[in-house]
Amino acid sequence: MPHDINLITTIAAALGMGLVFGMAAVKLKLPALVGYLVAGIVIGPATPGFVADMKLASQLAEIGVMLLMFGVGLHFSLDDLLEVRKIALPGAILQIAAATALGMGFSYVMGWNIGAGLVFGLALSVASTVVLLRALEGRGILDSVNGRIAVGWLVVEDLVTVLVLVLLPPLSGWLGGAEKNGGGSLWATLGITLGQVGAFIAFMLIVGRKLFPWLLWSVARTGSRELFTLCVIAAAVGIAYGSSELFGVSFALGAFFAGMVLRESELSHRAAEESLPLRDTFSVLFFVSVGMLFDPHVIIQRPIEVLAVVAIIILGKSIAAFLLVLAFRYPLTTALTVSASLAQIGEFSFILATLGVSLKLLPVEAQSLILAGAIISIALNPLIFATIKPIEARVRSSALARKLARSSDPLAELPMTVDQAKLTGQVVLVGYGRVGQCVAEALTERGIYYVVADINRERVDALRKQGIPSVAGNAAEPAVLIQAHIARAKMLVIAIPDTFHVRQMIEIARALNPSLECVVRSHSDAEATLLEKENICKVLVGERELASGMTRHIVATLERNEHGGGS
């Protein structure tokens, strides 16, 4: 009996070629995402040989978008965003505006209309969350303050893009694209669209955040792992589809809120873990399908335009972000980290470009330029991150740079009103995150004075309002430790997982105070062993301390039971 195997052929080709080129990219020290895009080019219509089914690939890509957005929502933490809101929120919005303006200027030169320029500029303004998270994880700085600022910045970009995805279809007619609103008035269209979105959000926050976590718990109680995984995926795809059918909102927004409401459950970490393989698989299909849309001839036919797009992504966005971070009085290392994080574009750019073409807002050549810029910028991103330390070392020696980064910053200097008795024999505590707060509480209970040095200016401002001596800045800079009166301190406690700067902090502190005792937090056994061999300080590894604490409790409990049983 004859049957159609186009779906099987497309999936097999996409996954097989994605594996081959993904491995090749990793071998070349590039993100695997570059390999997936190249795989799509190879099986796409722009290259000779086998051509996969474009319609089926686009539908598989839709599922990939749903699961990608579901993953973003599942990891979206409002608390983390609020912690860095004073820099991430205005910084991201201003950077999007700057990059969009550059993109619109390019589109004007190309002769495109304002709608095309707007979509093109927005597509160039948003970086890839996938690429960023992997880059930060690979360098061990995801949990650092700089890492949280970069992630918070991208979360704001993601939220702005989700809003654009919602508003773009009803506004396409007004921007010169296909008419989607039946020719109604602009305000009526906006009112209806925002009303539908508002109704969906209200439903998800009032009903969904209670119903779906309860459903997750109910399935978890069955003890069936496959049913739990099925429940997570069914919720992601089902909510995305239902939101589109019932409320007229995009799949992307529906899937994002599905992840957000499931995050309310205590099983959210397990949901993320169980759904990860399927999310990764369909994200590969998404990136491969995007590669199929790319015409590599654009690099040969329009090299100047491609270079201009890459320059906007890598230079324009990065310089804008760099200046914005410094303008918010954050240190040089934060500015460089955020700039490197934004020097690429990815999944949201592809989604915006695809939507723009479908709405006849964006010319196909613009989509090819966006894809070319994405592939090149993602491939270059590891090299850009690798330049952070050399650039930081070079620029840090510049008096102008130091003045630009710290001049007239009240939080960079310890107030004169601090009791001088508290600045002799004190503990200098670097970092006031979860670990730092626990250390500070213990010191307070024992009546031990301490000074906090933290890179997060909002946190330092809040500490000063509580009467806690604190100074804003990177403790790897001598000026920060000097302001913390390290020369008169008894101990330096580094409570942040900053593998790049820990030695520099200790060297500066010991140069200013040779008899100083140092205690360092580390996530890595290898790093802890190296520091201990060098007799630099006392190193505490999280896993070791947790195991030690559990062992002490177990032994004490067993001994207590034995003595109780014997009596």
Side-chain angles (χ1 to χ4, degrees), residues 137-141 144 389 494-507 519-544:
E137 284 174 348
R139 287 157 181 81
I141 57 174
S144 68
K389 291 183 72 175
I494 302 177
I496 57 174
D498 191 339
T499 57
F500 288 126
H501 295 113
V502 61
R503 283 183 180 79
Q504 192 173 352
M505 292 178 191
I506 295 171
E507 287 173 3
V519 179
V520 176
R521 166 194 178 187
S522 176
H523 281 319
S524 165
D525 281 321
E527 181 191 26
T529 302
L530 181 60
L531 290 173
E532 287 168 349
K533 282 182 179 178
E534 295 174 356
N535 294 318
I536 291 180
C537 54
K538 173 66 176 175
V539 184
L540 301 176
V541 181
E543 288 80 0
R544 287 187 199 169

Side-chain angles (χ1 to χ4, degrees), residues 428-481:
V428 175
L429 177 59
V430 177
Y432 200 76
R434 289 186 291 269
V435 175
Q437 288 173 30
C438 292
V439 173
E441 288 173 6
L443 294 175
T444 301
E445 288 174 2
R446 290 161 177 79
I448 300 173
Y449 296 128
Y450 62 92
V451 177
V452 174
D454 197 293
I455 201 171
N456 190 320
R457 299 183 77 260
E458 287 76 21
R459 192 176 286 161
V460 169
D461 191 30
L463 287 171
R464 290 193 178 184
K465 290 176 181 176
Q466 298 172 32
I468 299 174
S470 52
V471 58
N474 185 354
E477 297 179 3
V480 175
L481 291 176

Side-chain angles (χ1 to χ4, degrees), residues 43 102 107 109 112 181 201 220 228 232 239 280 285 321 326 351 421 444 566:
I43 64 173
L102 290 173
S107 70
V109 174
W112 302 335
N181 54 21
I201 293 174
F228 184 85
V232 173
I239 294 173
D280 282 347
L285 293 174
L326 289 183
I351 296 169
T444 301

Side-chain angles (χ1 to χ4, degrees), residues 164-473:
V164 171
L165 292 174
V166 170
L167 295 177
L168 205 55
L171 296 178
S172 63
W174 300 96
L175 294 172
E179 198 75 51
K180 294 287 182 180
N181 54 21
S185 71
L186 173 62
W187 295 112
T189 301
L190 279 175
I192 293 171
T193 301
L194 294 176
Q196 289 175 320
V197 173
F200 169 69
I201 293 174
F203 173 80
M204 292 300 290
L205 294 180
I206 297 172
V207 179
R209 70 188 307 180
K210 301 292 184 183
L211 175 63
F212 296 112
W214 170 83
L215 178 62
L216 209 60
W217 268 110
S218 300
V219 174
R221 289 193 190 100
T222 66
S224 172
R225 181 173 179 176
E226 58 267 28
L227 278 179
F228 184 85
T229 305
L230 179 61
C231 177
V232 173
I233 300 302
V237 178
I239 294 173
Y241 176 77
S243 64
S244 177
E245 289 295 312
L246 298 177
F247 296 96
V249 303
S250 66
F251 289 144
L253 183 64
F256 176 76
F257 269 90
M260 277 191 65
V261 297
L262 288 183
R263 181 183 169 83
E264 298 288 326
S265 169
E266 294 178 5
L267 295 171
S268 61
H269 291 293
R270 183 182 168 190
E273 182 181 348
E274 297 290 345
S275 63
L276 185 60
L278 199 58
R279 283 191 284 128
D280 282 347
T281 300
F282 273 95
S283 70
V284 171
L285 293 174
F286 167 71
F287 290 120
V288 170
S289 69
V290 168
M292 292 172 65
L293 299 172
F294 176 59
D295 183 1
H297 296 100
V298 72
I299 297 177
I300 301 172
Q301 296 170 353
R302 294 182 174 272
I304 296 177
E305 288 86 343
V306 171
L307 287 174
V309 169
V310 172
I312 291 173
I313 297 168
I314 294 179
L315 296 178
K317 286 172 58 181
S318 297
I319 292 172
F322 180 83
L323 295 176
L324 284 168
V325 174
L326 289 183
F328 283 106
R329 316 306 309 165
Y330 273 79
L332 178 66
T333 180
T334 303
L336 289 172
T337 300
V338 172
S339 299
S341 301
L342 300 176
Q344 40 83 15
I345 59 174
E347 56 275 5
F348 268 124
S349 303
F350 306 149
I351 296 169
L352 272 172
T354 303
L355 179 63
V357 171
S358 69
L359 295 173
K360 295 182 171 49
L361 277 171
L362 198 66
V364 176
E365 65 173 329
Q367 185 181 38
S368 294
L369 289 173
I370 291 170
L371 294 175
I375 293 172
I376 295 171
S377 64
I378 291 171
L380 293 177
N381 198 242
L383 298 176
I384 294 171
F385 262 102
T387 63
I388 289 179
K389 291 183 72 175
I391 291 176
E392 183 180 358
R394 190 178 186 87
V395 176
R396 195 181 295 280
S397 61
S398 165
L400 177 61
R402 289 197 299 270
K403 184 178 179 181
L404 179 64
R406 299 182 58 84
S407 62
S408 65
D409 183 2
L411 296 182
E413 298 178 358
L414 208 62
M416 298 295 292
T417 55
V418 176
D419 186 354
Q420 293 300 305
K422 296 181 180 181
L423 300 177
T424 300
Q426 83 282 13
V427 173
V428 175
L429 177 59
V430 177
Y432 200 76
R434 289 186 291 269
V435 175
Q437 288 173 30
C438 292
V439 173
E441 288 173 6
L443 294 175
T444 301
E445 288 174 2
R446 290 161 177 79
I448 300 173
Y449 296 128
Y450 62 92
V451 177
V452 174
D454 197 293
I455 201 171
N456 190 320
R457 299 183 77 260
E458 287 76 21
R459 192 176 286 161
V460 169
D461 191 30
L463 287 171
R464 290 193 178 184
K465 290 176 181 176
Q466 298 172 32
I468 299 174
S470 52
V471 58

